[in-house]
Short mmCIF file of all heavy atoms in Angstrom, two decimals:
data_model
loop_
_atom_site.label_atom_id
_atom_site.label_comp_id
_atom_site.label_asym_id
_atom_site.label_seq_id
_atom_site.Cartn_x
_atom_site.Cartn_y
_atom_site.Cartn_z
N LEU A 1 16.73 184.56 28.48
CA LEU A 1 18.07 185.09 28.81
C LEU A 1 17.99 185.50 30.31
O LEU A 1 17.12 186.27 30.57
CB LEU A 1 18.54 186.10 28.03
CG LEU A 1 19.77 186.85 28.30
CD1 LEU A 1 20.95 185.92 28.25
CD2 LEU A 1 20.04 188.01 27.37
N VAL A 2 18.97 185.03 31.13
CA VAL A 2 18.87 185.45 32.59
C VAL A 2 20.46 185.74 32.98
O VAL A 2 21.36 185.07 32.51
CB VAL A 2 18.19 184.52 33.37
CG1 VAL A 2 19.06 183.07 33.43
CG2 VAL A 2 18.06 185.02 34.87
N GLN A 3 20.65 186.60 33.92
CA GLN A 3 22.08 186.83 34.47
C GLN A 3 22.37 185.72 35.55
O GLN A 3 21.44 185.11 36.01
CB GLN A 3 22.07 188.17 35.09
CG GLN A 3 21.94 189.38 34.08
CD GLN A 3 22.12 190.74 34.80
OE1 GLN A 3 22.03 190.84 35.95
NE2 GLN A 3 22.56 191.66 33.90
N PRO A 4 23.58 185.59 35.69
CA PRO A 4 23.97 184.62 36.75
C PRO A 4 23.41 184.98 38.08
O PRO A 4 23.34 186.17 38.39
CB PRO A 4 25.55 184.75 36.88
CG PRO A 4 25.91 185.14 35.39
CD PRO A 4 24.69 186.01 35.01
N GLY A 5 22.91 183.95 38.85
CA GLY A 5 22.32 184.23 40.09
C GLY A 5 20.70 184.52 39.98
O GLY A 5 20.06 184.43 41.02
N GLY A 6 20.44 184.54 38.88
CA GLY A 6 18.95 184.86 38.59
C GLY A 6 18.08 183.57 38.57
O GLY A 6 18.58 182.50 38.71
N SER A 7 16.76 183.85 38.35
CA SER A 7 15.85 182.66 38.29
C SER A 7 15.02 182.62 37.08
O SER A 7 14.81 183.60 36.38
CB SER A 7 14.85 182.83 39.65
OG SER A 7 15.56 182.77 40.71
N LEU A 8 14.53 181.34 36.71
CA LEU A 8 13.66 181.19 35.73
C LEU A 8 12.71 180.06 35.96
O LEU A 8 13.16 179.13 36.76
CB LEU A 8 14.32 180.71 34.29
CG LEU A 8 14.89 181.98 33.39
CD1 LEU A 8 15.64 181.29 32.32
CD2 LEU A 8 13.91 182.82 32.90
N ARG A 9 11.53 180.19 35.52
CA ARG A 9 10.63 178.95 35.66
C ARG A 9 10.26 178.46 34.42
O ARG A 9 9.69 179.11 33.54
CB ARG A 9 9.30 179.45 36.57
CG ARG A 9 8.43 178.15 36.89
CD ARG A 9 7.40 178.74 37.83
NE ARG A 9 6.37 177.68 38.17
CZ ARG A 9 6.56 176.85 39.28
NH1 ARG A 9 7.62 177.12 40.15
NH2 ARG A 9 5.66 175.93 39.59
N LEU A 10 10.51 177.11 34.13
CA LEU A 10 10.12 176.48 32.95
C LEU A 10 8.69 175.63 33.30
O LEU A 10 8.52 175.19 34.38
CB LEU A 10 11.10 175.44 32.54
CG LEU A 10 12.48 176.11 32.22
CD1 LEU A 10 13.50 174.95 31.70
CD2 LEU A 10 12.46 177.14 31.28
N SER A 11 8.03 175.67 32.19
CA SER A 11 6.60 174.89 32.27
C SER A 11 6.58 173.91 31.00
O SER A 11 7.04 174.43 30.02
CB SER A 11 5.42 175.72 32.32
OG SER A 11 5.43 176.54 33.67
N CYS A 12 5.86 172.81 31.31
CA CYS A 12 5.59 171.97 30.18
C CYS A 12 4.17 171.52 30.28
O CYS A 12 3.80 170.88 31.26
CB CYS A 12 6.52 170.75 30.34
SG CYS A 12 6.21 169.44 29.11
N ALA A 13 3.52 171.86 29.23
CA ALA A 13 2.10 171.57 29.08
C ALA A 13 1.91 170.25 28.35
O ALA A 13 2.39 170.16 27.12
CB ALA A 13 1.24 172.52 28.61
N ALA A 14 1.42 169.12 28.92
CA ALA A 14 1.06 167.91 28.15
C ALA A 14 -0.31 167.79 27.69
O ALA A 14 -1.24 168.10 28.39
CB ALA A 14 1.52 166.69 29.05
N SER A 15 -0.51 167.07 26.56
CA SER A 15 -1.78 166.85 26.07
C SER A 15 -1.82 165.53 25.35
O SER A 15 -0.84 165.02 24.92
CB SER A 15 -2.28 167.91 25.07
OG SER A 15 -1.38 168.02 23.96
N ARG A 16 -2.95 164.87 25.36
CA ARG A 16 -3.21 163.60 24.73
C ARG A 16 -2.39 162.39 25.42
O ARG A 16 -2.12 161.51 24.80
CB ARG A 16 -2.87 163.66 23.25
CG ARG A 16 -3.80 164.67 22.48
CD ARG A 16 -3.58 164.69 21.02
NE ARG A 16 -4.33 165.63 20.34
CZ ARG A 16 -3.85 166.90 19.97
NH1 ARG A 16 -2.58 167.07 20.28
NH2 ARG A 16 -4.73 167.65 19.38
N ILE A 17 -2.14 162.53 26.61
CA ILE A 17 -1.67 161.45 27.47
C ILE A 17 -2.39 161.51 28.82
O ILE A 17 -2.92 162.45 29.18
CB ILE A 17 -0.07 161.63 27.72
CG1 ILE A 17 0.25 162.87 28.49
CG2 ILE A 17 0.64 161.48 26.42
CD1 ILE A 17 1.77 163.00 28.99
N THR A 18 -2.24 160.37 29.47
CA THR A 18 -2.76 160.20 30.71
C THR A 18 -1.69 160.59 31.69
O THR A 18 -0.98 159.93 32.26
CB THR A 18 -3.24 158.70 31.10
OG1 THR A 18 -4.10 158.20 30.04
CG2 THR A 18 -4.09 158.70 32.45
N PHE A 19 -1.74 161.89 31.89
CA PHE A 19 -0.48 162.61 32.46
C PHE A 19 -0.17 162.01 33.74
O PHE A 19 1.07 161.67 34.11
CB PHE A 19 -0.90 164.17 32.57
CG PHE A 19 0.19 164.91 33.26
CD1 PHE A 19 1.24 165.45 32.42
CD2 PHE A 19 0.22 165.22 34.64
CE1 PHE A 19 2.27 166.24 32.97
CE2 PHE A 19 1.22 166.11 35.13
CZ PHE A 19 2.21 166.50 34.37
N SER A 20 -1.19 161.73 34.60
CA SER A 20 -0.97 161.18 36.00
C SER A 20 -0.18 159.98 36.03
O SER A 20 0.22 159.58 37.22
CB SER A 20 -2.20 161.20 36.74
OG SER A 20 -3.04 160.23 36.16
N THR A 21 -0.07 159.16 34.99
CA THR A 21 0.44 157.85 34.97
C THR A 21 1.92 157.87 34.49
O THR A 21 2.56 156.79 34.54
CB THR A 21 -0.31 156.86 33.98
OG1 THR A 21 -0.22 157.25 32.70
CG2 THR A 21 -1.77 156.82 34.48
N TYR A 22 2.37 159.02 34.22
CA TYR A 22 3.73 159.17 33.58
C TYR A 22 4.75 159.72 34.58
O TYR A 22 4.32 160.58 35.35
CB TYR A 22 3.87 160.07 32.27
CG TYR A 22 3.33 159.33 31.08
CD1 TYR A 22 1.93 159.21 31.05
CD2 TYR A 22 4.25 158.89 30.17
CE1 TYR A 22 1.40 158.62 29.82
CE2 TYR A 22 3.68 158.34 29.00
CZ TYR A 22 2.37 158.08 28.88
OH TYR A 22 1.81 157.51 27.75
N THR A 23 5.96 159.28 34.61
CA THR A 23 7.06 159.98 35.20
C THR A 23 7.43 161.10 34.29
O THR A 23 7.65 160.98 33.09
CB THR A 23 8.20 159.17 35.49
OG1 THR A 23 8.03 158.20 36.42
CG2 THR A 23 9.45 159.87 35.85
N MET A 24 7.39 162.35 34.88
CA MET A 24 7.80 163.55 34.06
C MET A 24 9.23 163.96 34.38
O MET A 24 9.71 163.82 35.56
CB MET A 24 6.82 164.62 34.40
CG MET A 24 5.37 164.24 34.03
SD MET A 24 5.09 163.84 32.23
CE MET A 24 5.44 165.40 31.39
N GLY A 25 9.84 164.54 33.42
CA GLY A 25 11.21 164.91 33.61
C GLY A 25 11.64 166.12 32.76
O GLY A 25 11.09 166.57 31.85
N TRP A 26 12.84 166.69 33.28
CA TRP A 26 13.48 167.61 32.44
C TRP A 26 14.87 167.32 32.22
O TRP A 26 15.56 166.72 33.15
CB TRP A 26 13.40 168.98 33.28
CG TRP A 26 12.18 169.74 33.44
CD1 TRP A 26 11.25 169.61 34.35
CD2 TRP A 26 11.57 170.58 32.48
NE1 TRP A 26 10.09 170.36 34.15
CE2 TRP A 26 10.39 170.99 32.92
CE3 TRP A 26 12.06 171.18 31.21
CZ2 TRP A 26 9.43 171.89 32.20
CZ3 TRP A 26 11.16 171.95 30.53
CH2 TRP A 26 9.99 172.33 30.98
N TYR A 27 15.26 167.39 30.98
CA TYR A 27 16.65 167.08 30.63
C TYR A 27 17.14 168.34 29.94
O TYR A 27 16.45 169.20 29.56
CB TYR A 27 16.59 165.90 29.66
CG TYR A 27 16.28 164.68 30.27
CD1 TYR A 27 14.86 164.37 30.63
CD2 TYR A 27 17.24 163.52 30.48
CE1 TYR A 27 14.58 163.26 31.29
CE2 TYR A 27 16.85 162.47 31.12
CZ TYR A 27 15.53 162.21 31.56
OH TYR A 27 15.19 160.96 32.13
N ARG A 28 18.47 168.40 29.74
CA ARG A 28 19.11 169.44 28.95
C ARG A 28 20.20 169.11 28.16
O ARG A 28 20.84 168.05 28.39
CB ARG A 28 19.53 170.62 29.88
CG ARG A 28 20.75 170.14 30.96
CD ARG A 28 20.97 171.29 31.93
NE ARG A 28 22.10 170.94 32.83
CZ ARG A 28 22.43 171.60 33.92
NH1 ARG A 28 21.66 172.71 34.21
NH2 ARG A 28 23.49 171.31 34.65
N GLN A 29 20.49 169.78 27.16
CA GLN A 29 21.56 169.50 26.29
C GLN A 29 22.33 170.66 25.73
O GLN A 29 21.63 171.65 25.36
CB GLN A 29 20.96 168.76 24.93
CG GLN A 29 22.01 168.02 24.09
CD GLN A 29 21.41 167.06 23.16
OE1 GLN A 29 20.25 167.16 22.78
NE2 GLN A 29 22.13 166.17 22.58
N VAL A 30 23.56 170.56 25.67
CA VAL A 30 24.35 171.66 24.99
C VAL A 30 25.00 171.03 23.79
O VAL A 30 25.15 169.83 23.67
CB VAL A 30 25.44 172.27 25.95
CG1 VAL A 30 24.84 172.83 27.13
CG2 VAL A 30 26.39 171.19 26.35
N PRO A 31 25.27 171.99 22.68
CA PRO A 31 25.87 171.40 21.53
C PRO A 31 27.14 170.66 21.67
O PRO A 31 27.97 170.98 22.53
CB PRO A 31 26.18 172.73 20.71
CG PRO A 31 25.29 173.71 21.10
CD PRO A 31 25.15 173.35 22.71
N GLY A 32 27.13 169.40 21.06
CA GLY A 32 28.33 168.55 21.13
C GLY A 32 28.39 167.60 22.37
O GLY A 32 29.33 166.89 22.65
N LYS A 33 27.34 167.70 23.24
CA LYS A 33 27.21 166.88 24.36
C LYS A 33 25.92 166.11 24.37
O LYS A 33 25.07 166.42 23.81
CB LYS A 33 27.25 167.70 25.63
CG LYS A 33 28.73 168.42 25.90
CD LYS A 33 28.82 168.92 27.29
CE LYS A 33 30.23 169.48 27.54
NZ LYS A 33 30.52 170.13 28.93
N GLN A 34 26.00 164.88 25.12
CA GLN A 34 24.78 164.18 25.25
C GLN A 34 23.69 164.93 26.25
O GLN A 34 23.96 165.73 27.03
CB GLN A 34 25.21 162.86 25.97
CG GLN A 34 25.92 161.83 24.95
CD GLN A 34 25.98 160.50 25.59
OE1 GLN A 34 26.09 160.26 26.81
NE2 GLN A 34 26.01 159.34 24.77
N ARG A 35 22.51 164.65 25.89
CA ARG A 35 21.38 165.08 26.80
C ARG A 35 21.56 164.52 28.02
O ARG A 35 21.85 163.25 28.22
CB ARG A 35 20.04 164.66 26.08
CG ARG A 35 18.80 165.39 26.71
CD ARG A 35 17.64 165.07 25.89
NE ARG A 35 17.77 165.55 24.57
CZ ARG A 35 16.67 165.62 23.69
NH1 ARG A 35 15.57 164.99 24.09
NH2 ARG A 35 16.91 166.00 22.47
N GLU A 36 21.46 165.38 29.03
CA GLU A 36 21.63 164.80 30.52
C GLU A 36 20.38 165.12 31.37
O GLU A 36 19.55 166.13 31.05
CB GLU A 36 22.87 165.52 31.21
CG GLU A 36 22.63 167.06 31.30
CD GLU A 36 23.83 167.55 32.03
OE1 GLU A 36 24.81 166.93 32.28
OE2 GLU A 36 23.74 168.92 32.44
N LEU A 37 20.10 164.24 32.41
CA LEU A 37 19.02 164.43 33.28
C LEU A 37 19.21 165.66 34.15
O LEU A 37 20.32 165.94 34.69
CB LEU A 37 19.01 163.19 34.25
CG LEU A 37 18.07 163.22 35.37
CD1 LEU A 37 16.65 163.12 34.92
CD2 LEU A 37 18.54 162.30 36.39
#
């Protein structure tokens, strides 16, 4: 939870893949809507 104007840092730790060969991404989704890039 953060106030408007604030900051957050998300991290994603990957395992069991050759990480360097993948395009990595972040997507988001709200209820009732499609997941978006």
Side-chain angles (χ1 to χ4, degrees):
L1 175 64
V2 64
Q3 292 186 339
S7 298
L8 280 176
R9 185 176 181 86
L10 305 182
S11 293
C12 171
S15 58
R16 302 187 182 93
I17 62 171
T18 308
F19 183 82
S20 62
T21 67
Y22 283 77
T23 289
M24 301 301 296
W26 289 95
Y27 292 73
R28 65 188 181 187
Q29 189 171 22
V30 298
K33 292 190 176 182
Q34 286 190 330
R35 192 171 296 186
E36 65 175 9
L37 168 75

